[in-house]
Amino acid sequence: MGQSTEILETVQMLKTFIDQRIEMGEESWVAKGLSEEPELKGPESLERFYDLIKDCQRCGLAQSRTNLVFGEGREDAGVMFIGEAPGRDEDLQGKPFVGRCGQLLTKIVESIKMSREDVYIANILKCRPPENRDPLPDEIGHCEPYLKQQIELINPRIICALGRIAAQTLLKTTASLSALRGKLHSYQGIKLIVTYHPAALLRNPHYKRPTWEDMKFLRKEYDGVVIT
Ligand code: SF4
């Protein structure tokens, strides 16, 4: 192979690499030069990420959604609440946990002496499954990488998985909700606890007491208190 062919191939590889970074929303990194790391954290990162995925067509739920529900809250939240998928109200408003479920989640957040504005709230799926059915494995497979990216950007101190689907998806397990509650788990090195989904709480008021216990547990772990 001649030297000029090698140079041409190297230039082509470099171009492909830069094109991929631009596609991933890292124009500023390219503009700053190859010697600098991409700025993945910062006030604009989630916004930029939203711009990249807001028209997502990766799975069939794109056809029936009104709005993609990206997530809401602080970019540097210490606590992240993760539910299952948007419902009817969320789909209509484009926001996670609105309506009665949302009001209850607000109370749950306040029970740990925080406000909704202090935390970040998202779901495993960003689009509503028809009739609020359970997410299908291929929908989760397509959508979960988005959540993973959000978690990496936010880098919370602790995650609270709301309900069985969120817990099983994040922890890659088929264990029951009752087996997963009351324990400290880890999601890619981040503390994770499991509690009931607010919708389950609305249906079963007797879950309120154990949810309160879960929130005390979360707060202690967030504060770094050792539980004996
Ligand atoms: S659910 Fe997720 S993967 Fe499917 S269309 Fe919506 S954003 Fe894309």
Side-chain angles (χ1 to χ4, degrees):
M1 189 189 300
Q3 199 181 10
S4 57
T5 311
E6 277 180 24
I7 292 170
L8 269 174
E9 283 187 357
T10 306
V11 168
Q12 188 55 46
M13 276 170 58
L14 196 55
K15 183 178 178 306
T16 305
F17 179 67
I18 291 172
D19 285 347
Q20 285 170 346
R21 305 302 291 217
I22 290 173
E23 230 173 79
M24 290 164 69
E26 296 174 10
E27 311 91 322
S28 61
W29 171 78
V30 176
K32 277 192 233 165
L34 293 172
S35 61
E36 291 186 42
E37 285 292 312
E39 191 195 340
L40 288 176
K41 283 191 76 68
E44 290 175 10
S45 298
L46 281 176
E47 202 178 322
R48 192 165 40 165
F49 186 44
Y50 169 72
D51 280 340
L52 284 172
I53 71 163
K54 66 179 191 287
D55 298 318
C56 176
Q57 304 287 326
R58 275 192 191 179
C59 83
L61 298 179
Q63 307 305 314
S64 52
R65 74 175 175 229
T66 311
N67 286 295
L68 180 148
V69 181
F70 181 72
E72 190 175 64
R74 283 179 71 115
E75 299 246 354
D76 60 349
V79 185
M80 207 168 160
F81 287 86
I82 299 175
E84 181 179 320
R88 187 176 60 91
D89 293 336
E90 289 78 13
D91 175 62
L92 290 173
Q93 296 186 36
K95 293 180 176 183
F97 285 92
V98 292
R100 286 179 71 214
C101 256
Q103 286 167 10
L104 191 49
L105 181 60
T106 302
K107 284 186 184 160
I108 290 171
V109 173
E110 287 168 354
S111 77
I112 56 166
K113 306 276 182 282
M114 290 186 181
S115 70
R116 262 183 92 117
E117 291 70 38
D118 293 327
V119 304
Y120 196 91
I121 301 168
N123 285 303
I124 299 289
L125 291 189
K126 307 215 174 298
C127 303
R128 182 194 182 201
E131 309 303 323
N132 296 344
R133 63 154 168 76
D134 283 356
L136 301 175
D138 78 296
E139 293 162 353
I140 292 177
H142 283 111
C143 209
E144 195 193 351
Y146 292 153
L147 177 65
K148 198 170 162 213
Q149 178 71 55
Q150 275 175 301
I151 294 171
E152 277 174 25
L153 289 167
I154 295 162
N155 192 23
R157 199 185 299 179
I158 192 162
I159 294 169
C160 180
L162 298 164
R164 179 181 61 84
I165 301 270
Q168 290 181 340
T169 301
L170 292 170
L171 295 172
K172 301 285 173 263
T173 178
T174 54
S176 67
L177 187 75
S178 55
L180 296 170
R181 280 189 50 249
K183 296 185 183 124
L184 186 63
H185 305 274
S186 173
Y187 176 86
Q188 300 190 343
I190 299 169
K191 290 178 177 182
L192 185 149
I193 73 127
V194 174
T195 193
Y196 293 102
H197 192 284
L201 239 64
L202 287 173
R203 289 192 300 268
N204 305 285
H206 63 278
Y207 288 166
K208 281 187 184 168
R209 181 79 212 171
T211 302
W212 166 237
E213 296 299 329
D214 293 338
M215 289 307 102
K216 281 200 294 187
F217 180 37
L218 183 149
R219 183 71 217 202
K220 282 178 181 166
E221 286 298 336
Y222 175 80
D223 290 335
V225 175
V226 178
I227 312 265
T228 54

